[in-house]
């Protein structure tokens, strides 16, 4: 029986009957089989060269053909008779799926060294760049690169460093220095949500799909700071009891690790026309947080080698600009720092994954993995009696959050809801439970 399929790297076996649980059937003619396989391989672009192995099992001949993986610069491999768009496939689980136009572009962008961060933004104007931030950048440049700065003007520095080309701002220049980058790229922002459960679509006690939902815009430094603030505000506070009995409040996720993950997403995302309409996403579930950006791994790096080898850089101009603004070190220390910070607070290693052109960082929190530390319920010193005493005068949700120091979701689901159900608390507007003017008073 003949079974043959060409992918980037595969070992195909001939002489096994797949329909009969790969029962040994043998091949009819070894030389004729090898000839047909070679002819098929010649019809691929680029041509592939199979490596044959012949052996006998139970007096029947079996042939294997190993198709070596193509170099990254030669991918994707496709059948010339159909063409690149209709004949390029990628392995997804147990199936081969047709590659998207963007996935094909990703290989070509690396092969041709396409610099999407140097794309000209034709309708951008220098007058709409933040001059104070530009001055800060130019000052840092002159301090760091003294041998060059003595011989060039400020405008020449901006040209040499890719902030402008021919006096027109580049994408890198816009996303870092524009007074409002989203005027040119409306979708280059961050969506940040808190989900009341472990899966998208889970709802809270009041039917809400999101406990918090924000669109974070601005320059890259501004979005970075706002994203960290969102995670800090909406994360739980863990109270840790150390071995010597001391209490220590910790954020749900170490903020240094969060900063590095968000920064990596902003710097290393794909900024091509194929993905400029897809924002970065931060999704906080009850048991984990995911940070997702367009653009899979760039170049020859693999998931297993992340943080261990020096990777190719998708947006070198952007990385260099942010380095001089002290936003990033640009020393490839981000992922080792994330792992170190998670380990330091007793949380599992982050999970990195690539799914159909997207890069995902997943942080597990202390609810699912408390580690070796003793995890105490959030802010347990805010007891029920103290809360009820505080509510002798009806209080708003904001007042209760400030009093307890808890996240809105945790406070409402674990404290307020049980007290309402027991009758110890009452709503001042029972007919409008979601009203922004709602207050809660002790019975």
């Amino acid at each position: 029986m003949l079974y043959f399929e060409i992918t980037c790297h595969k070992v195909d076996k001939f002489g096994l009957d797949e329909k009969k649980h790969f029962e040994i059937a043998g091949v009819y003619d070894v030389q004729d089989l090898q000839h047909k396989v070679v002819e098929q391989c010649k019809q691929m672009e680029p041509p592939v060269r199979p490596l044959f192995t012949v052996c006998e099992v139970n007096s029947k001949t079996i042939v294997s053909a190993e198709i070596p993986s193509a170099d990254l610069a030669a991918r994707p491999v496709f059948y010339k008779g159909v063409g690149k768009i209709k004949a390029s496939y990628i392995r997804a689980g147990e199936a081969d799926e047709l590659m998207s136009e963007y996935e094909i572009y990703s290989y070509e962008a690396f092969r041709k060294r396409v610099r999407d961060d140097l794309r000209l933004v034709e309708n951008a104007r220098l007058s709409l760049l933040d001059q104070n931030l530009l001055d800060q950048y130019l000052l840092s440049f002159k301090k760091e690169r003294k041998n060059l700065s003595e011989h060039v003007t400020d405008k020449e520095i901006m040209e040499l460093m890719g902030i402008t080309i021919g006096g027109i701002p580049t994408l890198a220049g816009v996303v870092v220095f524009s007074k409002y980058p989203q005027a040119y790229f409306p979708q280059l922002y961050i969506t940040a949500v808190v989900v009341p459960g472990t899966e998208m679509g889970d709802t809270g006690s009041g039917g809400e799909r999101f406990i918090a939902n924000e669109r974070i815009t601005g320059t890259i430094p501004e979005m970075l700071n706002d994203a960290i603030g969102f995670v800090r505000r909406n994360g739980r506070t863990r109270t840790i009891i150390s071995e010597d009995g001391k209490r220590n409040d910790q954020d749900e996720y170490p903020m240094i690790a969060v900063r590095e993950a968000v920064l990596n997403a902003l710097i290393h995302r794909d900024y091509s026309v194929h993905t400029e309409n897809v924002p970065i996403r931060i999704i906080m579930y009850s048991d984990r947080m995911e940070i997702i950006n367009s653009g899979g791994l760039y170049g020859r790096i693999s998931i297993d080698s992340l943080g261990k080898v020096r990777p190719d850089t998708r947006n070198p101009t952007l990385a260099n600009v942010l380095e001089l603004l002290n936003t990033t070190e640009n020393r490839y220390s981000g992922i080792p720092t994330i792992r170190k910070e998670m380990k330091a607070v007793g949380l599992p290693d982050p999970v990195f994954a690539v799914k159909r052109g997207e890069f995902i960082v997943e942080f597990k929190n202390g609810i699912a993995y408390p580690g070796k530390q003793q995890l105490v319920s959030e802010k347990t010193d805010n007891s029920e009696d103290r809360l009820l005493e505080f509510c002798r005068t009806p209080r708003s949700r904001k007042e209760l959050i400030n009093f307890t120091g808890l996240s809105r979701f945790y406070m409402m689901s674990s404290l307020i809801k049980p007290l309402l159900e027991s009758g110890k608390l009452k709503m001042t507007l029972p007919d409008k439970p979601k009203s922004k003017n709602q207050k809660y008073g002790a019975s």
Side-chain angles (χ1 to χ4, degrees):
M1 300 294 291
L2 180 67
Y3 174 69
F4 183 58
E5 176 183 297
I6 293 181
T7 58
C8 287
H9 179 85
K10 191 172 182 68
V11 177
D12 287 288
K13 298 178 178 63
F14 304 87
L16 303 180
D17 192 336
E18 185 176 0
K19 295 181 179 179
K20 296 182 179 180
H21 305 289
F22 295 95
E23 178 183 307
I24 297 175
V27 298
Y28 57 93
D29 185 318
V30 172
Q31 290 186 342
D32 183 58
L33 172 68
Q34 291 177 334
H35 173 73
K36 288 182 176 179
V37 171
V38 169
E39 288 302 310
Q40 287 188 42
C41 290
K42 288 180 180 179
Q43 296 179 48
M44 306 301 291
E45 180 63 41
V48 295
R49 294 175 174 78
L51 304 175
F52 294 103
T53 302
V54 181
C55 66
E56 286 194 5
V57 179
N58 298 332
S59 301
K60 295 181 180 179
T61 303
I62 296 176
V63 178
S64 73
E66 179 181 356
I67 312 299
S69 60
D71 185 79
L72 190 67
R75 298 178 190 176
V77 179
F78 61 94
Y79 173 53
K80 290 188 288 187
V82 178
K84 185 181 295 185
I85 299 298
K86 295 183 179 180
S88 297
Y89 288 82
I90 189 169
R91 195 70 174 173
E94 297 298 320
D96 293 319
E97 296 184 4
L98 194 65
M99 293 178 70
S100 67
E101 184 178 348
Y102 168 64
E103 288 171 322
I104 294 172
Y105 167 80
S106 296
Y107 284 117
E108 294 181 343
F110 174 72
R111 180 169 62 252
K112 297 177 181 179
R113 291 296 191 269
V114 175
R115 297 281 297 278
D116 284 307
D117 57 346
L118 286 178
R119 278 199 291 147
L120 291 180
V121 185
E122 298 286 353
N123 58 335
R125 297 291 179 267
L126 287 175
S127 60
L128 293 177
L129 300 185
D130 187 326
Q131 191 58 51
N132 290 332
L133 192 58
L134 271 174
D135 290 343
Q136 178 186 333
Y137 172 81
L138 293 169
L139 182 61
S140 295
F141 179 92
K142 293 171 183 178
K143 287 182 178 179
E144 293 286 334
R145 321 253 169 109
K146 294 180 180 179
N147 59 328
L148 178 62
S149 62
E150 295 175 355
H151 309 289
V152 293
T153 65
D154 289 352
K155 288 185 178 180
E156 289 172 331
I157 291 174
M158 292 169 65
E159 290 279 324
L160 289 170
M161 298 306 293
I163 298 172
T164 60
I165 295 179
I168 300 174
T170 62
L171 184 144
V174 165
V175 297
V176 176
F177 296 106
S178 175
K179 293 179 180 178
Y180 188 63
Q182 286 72 32
Y184 310 103
F185 301 102
Q187 301 300 312
L188 290 185
Y189 60 88
I190 299 175
T191 62
V193 299
V194 180
V195 177
T198 59
E199 299 296 335
M200 188 64 75
D202 288 350
T203 57
S205 57
E208 67 274 14
R209 288 183 300 163
F210 302 123
I211 298 165
N213 183 0
E214 288 187 20
R215 174 187 294 223
I216 299 172
T217 61
T219 63
I220 284 183
E222 289 170 338
M223 288 193 290
L224 175 62
N225 291 333
D226 289 348
I228 294 171
F230 178 90
V231 174
R232 191 189 301 275
R233 283 194 310 276
N234 291 284
R236 301 171 180 85
T237 299
R238 302 195 309 160
T239 299
I240 304 299
I241 305 298
S242 61
E243 293 181 358
D244 58 4
K246 293 183 179 179
R247 296 167 63 92
N248 180 34
D249 288 344
Q250 292 183 352
D251 291 314
E252 183 172 8
Y253 304 101
M255 287 300 115
I256 293 177
V258 172
R259 182 185 190 279
E260 292 297 333
V262 175
L263 184 59
N264 279 349
L266 288 164
I267 294 178
H268 301 300
R269 68 157 290 161
D270 188 296
Y271 282 100
S272 71
V273 293
H274 296 276
T275 62
E276 66 181 28
N277 290 325
V278 183
I280 293 170
R281 284 109 67 203
I282 299 175
I283 309 173
M284 298 180 71
Y285 297 98
S286 60
D287 63 342
R288 69 192 187 283
M289 175 174 64
E290 294 179 357
I291 300 172
I292 307 167
N293 66 270
S294 293
L297 293 177
Y298 181 75
R300 304 176 191 278
I301 194 77
S302 67
I303 287 290
D304 293 337
S305 59
L306 282 174
K308 301 174 184 176
V309 300
R310 183 185 179 93
D312 295 295
T313 302
R314 180 182 271 118
N315 303 305
T317 296
L318 184 58
N320 286 334
V321 169
L322 291 171
E323 178 186 354
L324 282 173
L325 286 174
N326 294 320
T327 301
T328 178
E329 293 179 347
N330 201 18
R331 297 294 184 271
Y332 309 100
S333 61
I335 288 177
T337 298
I338 292 172
R339 289 180 171 136
K340 179 182 176 182
E341 292 296 318
M342 293 292 282
K343 183 178 180 181
V345 295
L347 294 177
D349 282 342
V351 177
F352 302 102
V354 176
K355 295 181 180 177
R356 299 309 303 264
E358 291 189 324
F359 184 74
I360 304 168
V361 182
E362 180 185 276
F363 292 160
K364 293 287 187 180
N365 61 24
I367 291 177
Y369 296 90
K372 297 181 180 180
Q373 299 167 319
Q374 180 182 354
L375 181 62
V376 181
S377 62
E378 301 181 36
K379 302 286 187 180
T380 53
D381 53 330
N382 291 313
S383 65
E384 178 180 307
D385 290 340
R386 290 186 61 220
L387 182 62
L388 291 173
E389 180 65 27
F390 180 68
C391 289
R392 286 188 178 278
T393 300
R395 305 291 183 174
S396 66
R397 294 187 187 94
K398 184 176 181 180
E399 289 175 318
L400 290 170
I401 290 171
N402 291 335
F403 176 75
T404 62
L406 303 178
S407 64
R408 182 180 181 275
F409 171 68
Y410 184 87
M411 181 193 71
M412 295 302 297
S413 61
S414 299
L415 292 181
I416 303 303
K417 183 181 177 183
L419 291 173
L420 289 171
E421 291 173 347
S422 67
K424 295 180 180 180
L425 276 183
K426 289 185 178 180
M427 291 184 284
T428 56
L429 300 172
D431 296 332
K432 299 178 180 180
K434 296 183 181 180
S435 171
K436 63 180 182 180
N437 298 319
Q438 186 66 258
K439 291 188 178 182
Y440 303 87
S443 300

